[in-house]
Structure formats: structure tokens, C-alpha cells
Amino acid sequence: MAYLSSCILSSLRQLGKERFHKSQHFNDSHGIPMFVGSAKSGIGGELLVGQEIKPTHSVNSKGQGSDLPSWVIFDKQVLYFEAYFQEAVPDARDETYRIRRCKIYFYLEDDTIQVVEPEYKNSGIPQGTLIRRQRVPLPPPDGDQFYNIFHFNINQQMVLYSRSFTLTNCDSFTRNFLTKLGVRLNGCATVPDDPYSNLREQIEKNMRPLRPYERCDTLKQYLEHDRKVLRFNCFWDDTESVFGDVRELILHYFLADDTIEICEVIPPNSGRDVSKFLRRSKLPKCAPAQLKQPGEITDRTVLNVFASSTQGKRYILDSLKTGAVQEDFYKDCDLTVGREVNVWGRKVIIADCDDFTKDYYRTKYGIEDFSPVQYKAPPVPKPSRTVPPYNGFGSEEDSLSSCQGLLPKPPQKDLRKFMEKDRCGLNSNVLNFHAKMVTNDPVDSKRAFIISFYLCDDSISVFERPQRNSGVLGGKFLARGRVKKPGQELFKRELPEYFAAQDLYIGATLCLNNKNFQLLDADEYTFNYMEQHPEEFPKANVGNILSKLRSIPEEKQREIGKFLALIDPSNTGFIPYESFRGLLMGLECGLTEHEVLVLSRSCSEHEQPGVDVGLMLAVAQDFLKKNVFEEFPDMARAFTYHDRHKTGRLSTNETWTICKAFRLPLPENLLGGLLSKFADRDTIDYHTLLAGINWMEHPAPPVMPDDILKVKRRMAVIYIYKTKET
């Protein structure tokens, strides 16, 4: 029956079990059977009779709380304890034992312990890390186990590698952590006195004087406030003395050492030449006072105790400072706007200060009122200098400079404008207009002129275009120079007005040396420059033009719409220029000829000039033939190699790269024009391109120099148009 009951009990224990493996307890080492499984469990992981498995991890780091590992939960979390241990000193005369203080760190992530002893000066013993960070085993007979968190408490001893440490205190984090774990901490323990340390302190104390030299630390103030100076505007009223007046002063307060310097502002023709009113020094408040005797003001006071002819003289320092003289000096808190400063008997009043001083007093003292003290009479207005009228000698500017000083100087030119508007490369900064002379003379009315306006110095030159059988010689009509506007008085005090760039536009009439000229047209550069600078040229400002058109009544706007529908019946969106000009000029809204041109240019469609492909190929063959370029088979192989799909076509970028790799001796604009002509949807038939430029197999008819020049010009125009579009 007993055997049956035991079987029933064992079967009941095995209900719900899933593991029935048997742990390996024996192993074969070099042919010798050995028992190695003393720490292994029995069948199914159950412990054997009398067997205890020692934990390999912290009691608080696994199986409790979060599922994260301990090295993540307790990362950078360390328990800190203050401790000491007593060390015997058998061979020393002055001490028999020594108390050594240390710090114990317990790392929660892996239960490691580190012991560190602070280093003391001239201790004579090795200090620092006593026990490196590691897991420390318990003392025998539990040497197979390690210290964990529950072995630590205050006011108890711990044996770490045969050395007994007494824990005296811990930090707040350690105290809170152990309290949350349920550990009841003991009270803090006191560290016993070290006899040898007390002896050393007594020796060092006896070596010091009873009252050492007092040290006044001014380095911190110097480092914080170096080069920081408070500036005050002051004045000293000296009108009571003979020939006295109000002296204007500037007070500098140096925050680095609390010194004051006062300088005098010397007005011109005052007869004074010394500007230093007070040299830099500390300024006493109660001055002038009786001068101190030499040696009365010292850093240390020495008392004569007694004097003996046999034992010599005896002195002692005055620790109570009974004979010390105290002087009160001005500080930054004593200097505010409106206060009076005693400068060695002279009453100086602070009238104003600079912005840095105001910010300093706002930040440090919270002062907001910095109303200045008025001590100066309002300045007398300077009488206006009347300029005599122009006398007719030289230019107006030159004559005016002779009235501004004893030594006449040539009139100054606007150098900045000259540097910005002078010719720079292809940018000439010259506005050219075609003009005719407004006159009733039939001969003069047919003469053609070119009026050039130079933006660098606002000068104008007039050139007459020669015409055959006109009876008038062409050439320079007016030399370059500034031209006065008509209708001005000759002998007047003000400078005359000259023609400016804003006065020149299509349709304007200029009077140049009693000759009237009407501007008829301008070159492309002039139109582009005026349109790119609409803020300088109101006649070329599209916004101003549109604002004039918006001021038209609604009835006229409807008439304009009907007129445009009649001119453009197919609704293409384009009308001839003459019809557009006639429409705008008939609106009577104040539009000039130039404004109509600018508006039409902004609404027009630019057509790029075309170039004959055959002529371009002939010019390209001429270039290649002159440079003896014969690498056409190699180029064909390169094109074929890069054509992965064998379609006979490559992209424009790849074709350009291959041509540049073979150093094709063609100008870039000509090569780009050829590629654009042969391109179809950004791909090029390289066989056709090679056949067109191959002068050896497919020679083109010879070209004349005029044809080459024509192609270059047209390609340059195409390049300019493309640049504008981009």
C-alpha cells in the first residue's frame, strides 16, 4: 500500500509537466570519467534532494518589474557609501594605527563594487582605487557567493578581501533606493579621529603666523569687468572765479579697479591745452582733508611690545586694527545722473551718460530715470552763407569752389557713380538714340543724328550720320559734355540743371545748344537697360503704364474690347504693332511714344533667327578640315559603344560629352547649334551627324569668309536669345 501511495503521489506531481529531460552530470576528460554536474538540476529541471542553486545575477535585476534586462534598467545608477577602515602601523614611532577614509560604489546593473580612497597631499602611502570594479565574494565560509544589494547598510561592517570596512553614511539617492526596497537604514556613524592626521594638522598650524598677511582678492573683479568703463558727461561751474566759465568734463569710472579719471573737453580758441582734469585714481568722498603722514596708511599695523637693550626689540601685529585709518571712496552706486561729485573740493555735477552706462545701471540697480541735466545754452544758429552769383568765368561748379575756401579746389566728381556706370566688358552703360532736327529747313530736317548719353558722368555727345548727296558733312556734331537745360538764368546763385538720363526717351524733344532734336528710336541695349531699371526710368516702368490704362473709364474699355475683336477676328491673341500703337495713342491717357513701345515689347513674342543647316555643316567641315581632324571612325565606335540598346540614337548630353572627349575643333555655339538642329525629343541620330560633318567622305561645297562670319553672328544672336529665355 505504501508503494502504491508513493506512485500515486509521484504521478500527481507530474501532472501538467512538459519537461522530462535528464541533466548531464558526468563528462569524459582525456579518457578519465569525471563528475561535473554538482550545480545541475535533476529530471525536468527539478532540484535534487538537498541541492541549492546559487544565483548568478542580482536578486533585484531579473524576474521582477520590467521585462528589460538589468543593464538597461539600472544603467548609470550607482549606490554611494562613505566608509573607513583601520590599518595597523607597527613600525612607526608617532602612530600605532591609521584611519583611512574611502568611498564605496555599488553598481546596480551587474552587482559590481569599487572602492576608492581620496588622495591626500604628502600622505606617503599609495592612494586612489583600492579595489577595482568587480564582483566581490562574501567572506568564508560563504566564499562561493557574492555581495548583493541587501548586504549594504549604514553603521555596519563589511569584509572586502580580508579588510574590514565600516559604512558611515550614504547619499540621498542611495537612501531613497534602499528605502523603497524595504531596507531599514541605521543611523549615520562618526569617523574616529586619526592621531597622525591630527598631529600633522597641529604641526602645520604652528608653522603659520598668528595673523598672516591679509590678501585682498581683486583678480575676480578685474577678470569680470576688464575694459568696461562707465562714461558720464559732467560740468563744473567756475563762474564765481575771475574770468571763470562753465567747464565741460567727461568722467570715466573703471569697473575693473573702481578708479576714476576726468578729462576736460577743451573748446576751440579757449586758451587751454591740458585736457587731463584728474588722473586715474580712487576718488575719496571727503576731500580735501589733512594729508596723512608717511606710514599712517598701511596694509598692516605693527605694535611695539617692549624694547630691551639685552633681548632686543619685540613687535606684534595689531589684529584688532586699532590704529587703522578708514577712507571712503566713490563707488559705482554713488554716480547717478544729477548727483554732485566732490572732486578735491570742486563740485562736479553729472549731466548725462552713454548707452552702456544706462544699461549697466538698469541691470544692476534697476534705475530707469536718466533725464539729462541741461547746462548749455541752445546753440546759436549759423548764419546762412550767401553765395555770389555766377560771374561767367569758368564753369558754375568751378566758380562756386572758389567761394568756399581761400585755396580753390577743383570740383569733386561722383567717383562711386563713375565706377558703377563705367564701361565693363560688353556692358557699355551708354544709351544711344536716333534723332532728327526739329526745324522748318528742308535740308536740316532730313539729317540723321545719334545722341549718346553716358551714364557714368551724365554727359551727352551728338554724332551726325553721313548721307550721300545731302550737301552736309557728317561726323561729330556735339562734343561729349554735360548739357544745360534751356530756359535757365545765366548769372544766378544756384547751380544750373543739366539733362539727366530720365529726360531721354522716345518722343522727347531736347534742346542742345539752341538746336531742337526729337528722339525717334533707340538701340536694343538702350531698351533693355531702361526696362531692367524701371525705378530709374519711369517711362520704361510697365507698372506705371498699366496704372494709366486702368484709369480709363469703363465705356472706353468696352470700346477697346470691340476694337480688338474686329482687328483679330480669328482670336489668335496677336495684332499688328501699328494698330496697337494707334489704339493706345488715341486713348488720350497721357501715354508717350516710349511707353507705347515698352508696353508692346513686353507683350510681343520674340522669334529666334533661323540658320541654314547646310551652311552650318559646310562651316563645320571647313573648321575640321583646317584643323586636320580625321578621327571620325573612332568617334563612330565611341557612339556605338555608348548606344547600349543599338537604336542608333543618343541623348544630347552624351553626344556633347563624346564630342568634347575627342576635342572636336568647333566653336561651342556652332557645336550647340548643330546638336539642336539634329535633336529630336532630346535624342540625336549620331550616324546622320557624323555623315554631315565628315569632310573626307561627304565633302560640302566650299564656303566664303562672309558666310563664316554670317553663321557666327547668327549663332551669337541665337545664344543671346536662349540666355534671355533662361
Side-chain angles (χ1 to χ4, degrees), residues 631-643 662 686 690:
E631 300 180 8
F632 298 105
D634 297 337
M635 289 185 66
R637 285 192 291 269
F639 282 125
T640 306
Y641 174 76
H642 286 82
D643 186 9
F662 280 89
Y686 54 84
L690 286 177

Side-chain angles (χ1 to χ4, degrees), residues 22-37:
K22 196 172 184 180
S23 302
Q24 182 179 358
H25 290 71
F26 297 93
N27 196 2
D28 186 6
S29 178
H30 300 288
I32 301 175
M34 300 180 64
F35 179 72
V36 296

Side-chain angles (χ1 to χ4, degrees), residues 379-412:
V380 179
K382 293 183 179 180
S384 60
R385 180 181 296 179
T386 58
V387 180
Y390 175 58
N391 54 11
F393 293 96
S395 63
E396 287 82 352
E397 293 81 0
D398 194 10
S399 178
L400 180 61
S401 62
S402 64
C403 302
Q404 294 175 349
L406 296 177
L407 299 177
K409 296 181 181 180
Q412 299 252 345

Side-chain angles (χ1 to χ4, degrees), residues 275-294:
S275 61
K276 183 73 71 173
F277 191 82
L278 177 67
R279 67 177 179 87
R280 181 177 176 179
S281 60
K282 289 190 175 183
L283 182 62
K285 293 183 178 180
C286 300
Q290 186 178 1
L291 295 178
K292 306 299 180 182
Q293 298 296 329

